[in-house]
Amino acid sequence: QVQLVESGGGLMQPGGSLRLSCAASRTIFSHQPMGWYRQAPGKQRELVAAITSDSTNYADSVKVRFTISRDNAKNTVYLQMNSLKPEDTAVYYCFANYGLRTYWGQGTQVTVSS
């Protein structure tokens, strides 16, 4: 069993920055993916970014603006979000693969509005 605790969401003006954090309750091996999905109202959940020891992947809509990183010693994954746009407004969910299962955080709201 893995618990994921997210933090860092909130309200930000367009063009601003936010940093999301997600701490896992146990060690996630570096070769197993951790990352973030998001779900906007009325839309399907979509992959934002994922990271393993070998690779990072980003949705086309966030490339250049968002950066995912991982601190394996702290079992924590981060999402640095720059140049935020109103269309980035969504609930952001952390995920981690452990064994054969995918675990999810509770979600954190990100709202980009002036």
Side-chain angles (χ1 to χ4, degrees):
Q1 192 79 0
V2 179
Q3 282 78 47
L4 300 172
V5 179
E6 300 144 338
S7 60
L11 173 65
M12 179 54 64
Q13 292 184 341
S17 297
L18 285 172
R19 189 194 195 204
L20 304 183
S21 300
C22 172
S25 60
R26 64 186 307 163
T27 297
I28 307 297
F29 297 115
S30 61
H31 67 277
Q32 295 200 289
M34 296 184 74
W36 300 87
Y37 276 73
R38 68 185 180 187
Q39 188 166 21
K43 294 188 177 181
Q44 289 189 330
R45 192 175 292 193
E46 63 171 353
L47 177 66
V48 177
I51 184 169
T52 69
S53 55
D54 297 326
S55 66
T56 55
N57 292 290
Y58 295 93
D60 287 343
S61 59
V62 307
K63 281 180 180 177
V64 178
R65 300 186 298 121
F66 290 10
T67 302
I68 190 169
S69 61
R70 183 169 174 171
D71 186 336
N72 292 317
K74 296 182 178 180
N75 302 322
T76 300
V77 63
Y78 305 95
L79 186 67
Q80 178 67 43
M81 305 185 293
N82 299 329
S83 302
L84 283 163
K85 302 177 180 180
E87 50 263 44
D88 295 319
T89 296
V91 178
Y92 285 69
Y93 297 91
C94 172
F95 77 91
N97 287 5
Y98 183 81
L100 299 178
R101 291 189 58 181
T102 298
Y103 293 87
W104 296 91
Q106 79 282 3
T108 185
Q109 177 70 45
V110 171
T111 302
V112 184
S113 175
S114 55

